[in-house]
Amino acid sequence: MKKAIKNQKNWWAIGVILIAVFSLLAIQARSGDVIVGYDTFFHFNRIYETAMQFQTGRFSYFMANFGYCQSGQIVNAVYGPYMAYLLGLLLFLTHSWVNFQLVSAFILLFSAGIGAYLLFRRLKINYYLATAGAILFLSQNFITYWLTSTAFLDWGSMMLPFAVLVGLDLLSGSAKQIHVSLALVVAILIEMHILSAVITVLLLILFFLVGVYRSQAKGAYLQKIGLNVGLTLLLTANYFAAFFDVFGHNHLIAPFRVQSLQSGGMQLVDQTLMQGGVGFVFIIIITAQIIFILFNLNRSNPNVMLTTIGLFFFGLSSEYFPWDQIGKHVPIFRDFLQFPSRFYAVAALLLLTGFLLSINQFMQQVRFPVVKNIYLAGVGLLALTAVLIGMGNVQHQLTNNWQAHNLAPQAGVYAQHLLPYGYYPKQVSNEGIRRDFQGPDLGAPLRDSIRANTDYLPNHTHFRQPRDLQSQYKKQITYNESQFVKHPQHGGKVLIQWDSPQSRLTMIPLVAYHDTQLNLNGQPLKNYQLSQIGGIYVPAQAGKNRLLVSYQAPMYVKLAIFVSLMSWLGLAVYLIYQGFKRLINGKTRPKIMLK
C-alpha cells in the first residue's frame, strides 16, 4: 500500500482523471443552472425529504413528511434507503440544488474513474492505458446520465469496477482471496439501487461458477461465500424487512409497464442523451476487441473470460435480443427491468477491459516505439472523444431545459409529448422555475412541479393501476393542500390542521398504508375511508380539526434497522483497523490471477 501511495504514476493518473471529471462538470458550473431530466423531480423529492429531516431533526424512515407534497408516501424505505440519507445529507450541507448536482456528480464521476483505474491496474494494464480506459468509462452515458437526467442507475454503474474486482477474487477459486469486499459491494448496491444490485449479482454469479469449478478446496471456498452472503443480509436487513412489511401488507401501484422491452434495447448508431445508444467510440472498441479475440492466438484466459461475459451482457442489452417474446411470457420484466439497455454498463466495462488487455499485450510484443506510440495515441484519442461527447450531452440538455423555448420547461428529452403543461401549472414560467432552483428555498422548485409521483402508492382497486391515476393524484394530493397546514413531528409523525365550515367527510391530502395510524381531534380513528390511491377521508367536525398521522412499523422492522446500522458500524471499524494495519506493515492482500 505504501508503494502504491508513493508511486508518482498513480498520482499522475488521478490528476488526469480529475481533469476529465472537471471538464464534464465545467459547462454546468459555468451556467449556474440545475439540469432537469426525466427522473429529476422523483429523486429530488426523495433527497429533499431526507435533507429536511437533517435540517429539522424530525426523522421519518417511512413516511414522506417533507417531499412528495408531504403526502406520507413511502418511497425511501424501499428504494435505496441509506443512499437517500447520504444524498440528503449532501444537499443539507451544500444548501443549493446546483451545488448538490455538481458535488454529487463529481463524487460519482471520480469514483467511477478511480474504480476503473484500479481494475485495469489490477490486471497489470499499462498506466497510460489504464488512465485512458478510466476516462473512457466515466465519460459514457451510463455514468454521465446522472448529470443529464438524474438517473439512479448511474450510481450502480459507478460500482461496477469494484464489483469486477471482487469478481476477479471469485475467479481465482481460492478461499484466501474471498474478502468482506464481496459483501460490502453487494450491500452498497442494495442500499443504493436494487435493480443495479440484481444485475451485478448476476454478473458475480458467473464469476462464482467459474471459481467453484477451478477451486481446489471447494468446501472452504463455499464457506467464505456463505459468510459473505450472511454479512450482506445483516448489512441490508433494514431494506429487506421494510420491503417485506410494505409490499407484504399493501397492494401497491405497480411501476409503469413498458409496451415493448425490445424498443428499450441498445441501438448501435443512436447518439443521444438516452442510454439506448452505443455511440461510435464504443462501436470501435467492441469491434476491435471481437477481432482481437477471434484472430489473436496468444490471447490470455482473463481476456477471453471477460470478453465472453461482456458479449453475453451486450447481447442481453441489445434491441436484437428477443425481449418482446420473453416479456409476453414473463411480464415482470416489463415492470421491473423495463429497459434492457440497463445491462449495457456491465457489457461496456468488461469489453473495455478486454480491449485494454489486448492493446496492452500488443504493446508488449512490438519492438518499435513508434508502433507503441500509435497504440497509445489511438486509445488516448478515443478517451478525448468520449469526454467531448459527454460535454456535448451536458450542453445539449442545458439548452433543452432553459433555452429551447419560452414555455414552462420540459422535464428532459423524453417528455416532449407532455409539453407545454404536462409537469407544471400554467402560471409557472420557465424563468420562474429557473430562479427557484437557484434560490435558497430548496422546496420551491419541487412545489412548481405538478408531476404525480405515484410510485409505491396504495392501490385500492382490482386494476393493476387505478384509472386516471395522474388526475387522481393531482386532485387528491397536489391541488388539495391550500386549506391544510402540515407540521412534521418527532417520531416520524405529521400533524395536519384545518378549519371545516361544517361537520362533513373530508379528503385529507395524505395517503395511508396498512401500518398507518390516525388520531383525529385527540381520539384514535379506526374506521375511515380510503380513495383508490390511499387518500384519507375523515369525518371532520365543524371548526378546527387536528389529525395526527404516524406509521407504526412492526417490531421486527425496527430490530432489522438496528441490526443493519450496528453491522455497518462494526464493518467500518474492522475495515479501518485492517487499513491501518496494512499501511503500517506495508502489506496488501495477495493477488491471485487467473492464468
Side-chain angles (χ1 to χ4, degrees):
M1 184 175 290
K2 287 182 179 180
K3 184 178 179 181
I5 293 175
K6 293 180 179 180
N7 191 331
Q8 292 185 355
K9 292 181 179 179
N10 288 331
W11 289 106
W12 174 87
I14 291 173
V16 175
I17 290 170
L18 281 172
I19 291 173
V21 171
F22 285 130
S23 298
L24 289 166
L25 298 177
I27 295 173
Q28 182 183 8
R30 188 168 58 250
S31 74
D33 287 319
V34 164
I35 298 178
V36 182
Y38 183 76
D39 291 327
T40 298
F41 283 100
F42 174 73
H43 289 302
F44 273 17
N45 270 280
R46 296 204 312 123
I47 296 162
Y48 174 74
E49 169 66 31
T50 55
M52 292 303 296
Q53 290 181 27
F54 282 113
Q55 180 173 315
T56 62
R58 298 177 179 181
F59 290 90
S60 174
Y61 190 79
F62 284 89
M63 293 173 55
N65 292 338
F66 296 97
Y68 299 104
C69 301
Q70 297 182 281
S71 64
Q73 189 171 349
I74 295 176
V75 180
N76 282 336
V78 293
Y79 192 128
Y82 289 163
M83 187 63 177
Y85 275 100
L86 287 176
L87 291 177
L89 178 60
L90 179 60
L91 176 60
F92 170 65
L93 294 174
T94 54
H95 306 291
S96 159
W97 284 115
V98 177
N99 292 340
F100 166 79
Q101 275 198 329
L102 289 170
V103 175
S104 64
F106 172 81
I107 294 171
L108 187 149
L109 292 169
F110 184 66
S111 299
I114 291 300
Y117 177 77
L118 292 173
L119 170 62
F120 302 147
R121 287 300 301 146
R122 166 75 181 274
L123 292 167
K124 308 300 182 185
I125 292 172
N126 172 284
Y127 284 99
Y128 180 93
L129 291 177
T131 305
I135 293 172
L136 277 164
F137 179 71
L138 70 86
S139 302
Q140 297 308 303
N141 278 346
F142 49 75
I143 298 294
T144 62
Y145 204 49
W146 173 254
L147 283 76
T148 57
S149 194
T150 325
F152 236 68
L153 190 72
D154 291 32
W155 290 98
S157 300
M158 177 266 286
M159 289 295 299
L160 282 175
F162 303 100
V164 177
L165 281 167
V166 171
L168 294 177
D169 292 337
L170 294 174
L171 277 179
S172 69
S174 170
K176 294 181 179 180
Q177 281 290 99
I178 309 301
H179 191 254
V180 293
S181 54
L182 172 59
L184 181 63
V185 167
V186 177
I188 289 174
L189 282 164
I190 292 173
E191 297 290 355
M192 183 181 284
H193 188 245
I194 189 63
L195 179 58
S196 295
V198 171
I199 293 173
T200 303
V201 167
L202 175 60
L203 169 66
L204 292 176
I205 287 174
L206 297 178
F207 286 116
F208 162 74
L209 293 175
V210 176
V212 169
Y213 174 77
R214 290 176 50 83
S215 178
Q216 300 299 312
K218 291 181 172 53
Y221 181 84
L222 292 173
Q223 183 181 32
K224 273 289 192 73
I225 298 295
L227 290 173
N228 272 273
V229 171
L231 178 58
T232 302
L233 292 176
L234 289 175
L235 293 169
T236 59
N238 65 307
Y239 175 81
F240 289 109
F243 187 92
F244 176 79
D245 175 46
V246 175
F247 282 84
H249 297 108
N250 300 275
H251 178 44
L252 302 181
I253 295 172
F256 79 91
R257 175 173 288 179
V258 297
Q259 296 299 315
S260 170
L261 281 166
Q262 218 147 332
S263 63
M266 292 301 295
Q267 304 171 16
L268 292 178
V269 296
D270 182 31
Q271 186 60 51
T272 69
L273 293 180
M274 296 180 65
Q275 290 179 303
V278 174
F280 72 89
V281 170
F282 257 80
I283 289 176
I284 293 172
I285 290 172
I286 294 171
T287 303
Q289 179 57 10
I290 292 174
I291 294 173
F292 291 156
I293 288 296
L294 290 177
F295 296 100
N296 179 21
L297 298 179
N298 296 321
R299 55 187 181 268
S300 65
N301 283 343
N303 197 345
V304 174
M305 175 71 66
L306 294 173
T307 301
T308 301
I309 298 176
L311 289 173
F312 168 73
F313 276 94
F314 185 66
L316 290 180
S317 72
S318 170
E319 63 177 341
Y320 302 108
F321 194 81
W323 277 113
D324 281 347
Q325 286 71 27
I326 294 174
K328 291 178 181 178
H329 300 287
V330 190
I332 192 173
F333 282 119
R334 294 164 59 194
D335 301 329
F336 183 65
L337 175 61
Q338 296 175 317
F339 308 105
S341 60
R342 289 168 168 172
F343 287 111
Y344 175 66
V346 177
L349 176 61
L350 296 181
L351 292 171
L352 173 61
T353 305
F355 171 77
L356 295 175
L357 282 170
S358 297
I359 296 293
N360 196 68
Q361 176 191 339
F362 292 151
M363 287 180 58
Q364 292 173 350
Q365 292 173 346
V366 298
R367 299 180 180 179
F368 304 106
V370 66
V371 178
K372 293 184 180 180
N373 291 335
I374 290 174
Y375 282 133
L376 293 174
V379 178
L381 182 60
L382 288 174
L384 176 61
T385 303
V387 172
L388 292 174
I389 291 174
M391 293 172 65
N393 285 345
V394 174
Q395 182 61 67
H396 178 73
Q397 184 68 326
L398 277 169
T399 301
N400 191 44
N401 281 157
W402 308 115
Q403 300 174 20
H405 49 71
N406 294 318
L407 297 173
Q410 77 316 85
V413 294
Y414 308 112
Q416 298 293 342
H417 64 288
L418 296 172
L419 294 175
Y421 306 117
Y423 283 80
Y424 309 97
K426 292 185 177 183
Q427 69 272 16
V428 174
S429 67
N430 191 314
E431 189 59 32
I433 294 181
R434 192 178 194 177
R435 287 196 303 267
D436 284 345
F437 267 122
Q438 294 173 336
D441 183 357
L442 299 176
L446 304 185
R447 292 190 293 270
D448 290 334
S449 169
I450 60 174
R451 177 182 178 185
N453 296 294
T454 58
D455 302 61
Y456 313 118
L457 283 174
N459 182 356
H460 294 287
T461 72
H462 62 277
F463 299 108
R464 186 179 165 277
Q465 287 192 327
R467 293 175 178 174
D468 301 318
L469 187 58
Q470 305 292 319
S471 298
Q472 288 195 53
Y473 188 95
K474 292 174 184 178
K475 181 179 179 180
Q476 297 174 29
I477 306 296
T478 309
Y479 291 149
N480 188 34
E481 292 191 298
S482 58
Q483 62 176 314
F484 300 92
V485 179
K486 300 178 183 178
H487 301 283
Q489 307 291 301
H490 291 287
K493 302 175 183 179
V494 61
L495 175 64
I496 306 173
Q497 297 176 299
W498 75 100
D499 291 328
S500 179
Q502 60 186 4
S503 298
R504 64 183 182 186
L505 198 64
T506 302
M507 161 63 71
I508 307 298
L510 194 139
V511 296
Y513 294 81
H514 176 269
D515 292 320
T516 299
Q517 293 189 2
L518 306 181
N519 187 296
L520 179 63
N521 298 321
Q523 298 296 323
L525 185 62
K526 298 295 184 181
N527 299 314
Y528 52 90
Q529 298 180 30
L530 294 173
S531 71
Q532 289 187 336
I533 61 172
I536 304 170
Y537 291 94
V538 300
Q541 64 185 14
K544 296 186 180 297
N545 288 268
R546 292 166 55 91
L547 178 67
L548 187 64
V549 184
S550 62
Y551 187 88
Q552 297 299 321
M555 182 55 65
Y556 72 84
V557 177
K558 299 176 182 177
L559 179 62
I561 294 173
F562 176 78
V563 168
S564 171
L565 291 173
M566 291 302 100
S567 298
W568 280 103
L569 178 61
L571 180 59
V573 171
Y574 170 77
L575 291 175
I576 292 171
Y577 168 75
Q578 290 293 323
F580 276 116
K581 185 177 178 180
R582 291 196 187 97
L583 185 62
I584 293 171
N585 297 333
K587 295 179 180 180
T588 60
R589 285 193 299 135
K591 296 293 189 294
I592 303 175
M593 296 306 302
L594 180 63
K595 298 181 179 179

